[in-house]
Amino acid sequence: MIYILPILSVIAGLIFSFYLKPSSSKGFQLLLSFSGAYLLSVTVFELLPEVYISGNDRVGIFIMMGLLLQIMLEFISKGIEHGHMHLDKNTNKFPLLLLISLSIHSLLEGFPLEKSDHLLTGVVVHKIPVAAILAAFLLNSNIGKTKAFLFLGLFALMTPLGSWLQANFSQIDQYGIYINAV
């Protein structure tokens, strides 16, 4: 399920965007707020205790690096993952930096999913409005439907890829505490 549900959440967001045709992201703000709060509570009550119980004295540094990374990724994506669509819809250039930013974010959120059903639920619920906002932007831009669907497909695969990498590479698993802290 950790591989399928994140992909289905992006598909659900695409369907919402396609049929509801949101002209703004205001309708998704409540769901984004709820899912963000849910993810924060899961982080505080499950993820952080697991990271700190490791006894590693450098964990705090990696948590701070994660916060700085998130700020940088939001700067690059211009906050689209939080409902802000301040991007130029009239451009026909593929938003490569947006893809890279959202992909890094999605890849990293896939790593700890195997350890927590609550975290999986939070990520899935959070991805639906993010995907809907992203799909609305991409489908209304001038990049074309093929590129928009390619972008959304790559975005959908990043979280399951993070989970798969965590589960199948012992080298990554030995740094799991640091990755989860980030």
Side-chain angles (χ1 to χ4, degrees):
M1 290 316 259
I2 61 173
Y3 302 117
I4 301 296
L5 289 177
I7 294 171
L8 291 177
S9 65
V10 173
I11 293 169
L14 174 62
I15 291 169
F16 283 138
S17 179
F18 191 71
Y19 287 108
L20 298 178
K21 298 186 185 343
S23 58
S24 77
S25 61
K26 291 181 182 175
F28 295 109
Q29 291 299 325
L30 187 60
L31 186 56
L32 282 167
S33 296
F34 170 77
S35 63
Y38 184 87
L39 284 171
L40 179 62
S41 68
V42 171
T43 299
V44 169
F45 291 116
E46 289 187 21
L47 201 55
L48 287 178
E50 178 189 321
V51 168
Y52 274 109
I53 206 163
S54 71
N56 191 311
D57 59 348
R58 291 189 230 153
V59 165
I61 294 169
F62 284 89
I63 291 171
M64 293 305 297
M65 287 173 42
L67 291 171
L68 290 174
L69 177 63
Q70 180 62 24
I71 290 169
M72 287 181 0
L73 294 175
E74 284 185 27
F75 179 77
I76 293 169
S77 71
K78 298 184 167 104
I80 198 167
E81 68 274 15
H82 298 292
H84 308 292
M85 293 193 300
H86 302 296
L87 300 170
D88 183 12
K89 292 182 181 179
N90 297 320
T91 185
N92 60 356
K93 288 177 55 180
F94 188 79
L96 185 61
L97 286 177
L98 178 62
L99 176 63
I100 292 169
S101 171
L102 292 177
S103 294
I104 291 170
H105 181 101
S106 293
L107 183 75
L108 288 173
E109 75 187 6
F111 283 103
L113 291 185
E114 187 175 287
K115 294 176 170 69
S116 170
D117 289 339
H118 295 114
L119 189 57
L120 176 62
T121 302
V123 167
V124 166
V125 170
H126 191 65
K127 273 188 158 325
I128 293 170
V130 170
I133 293 164
L134 185 59
F137 164 72
L138 292 171
L139 294 173
N140 291 321
S141 71
N142 292 329
I143 67 166
K145 288 194 185 331
T146 302
K147 288 181 183 175
F149 287 125
L150 174 66
F151 187 115
L152 289 166
L154 290 172
F155 173 65
L157 293 174
M158 286 296 119
T159 300
L161 177 62
S163 297
W164 182 82
L165 289 171
Q166 174 72 23
N168 290 293
F169 287 91
S170 60
Q171 298 89 343
I172 291 174
D173 196 41
Q174 71 186 8
Y175 298 107
I177 294 296
Y178 300 118
I179 293 169
N180 288 346
V182 169

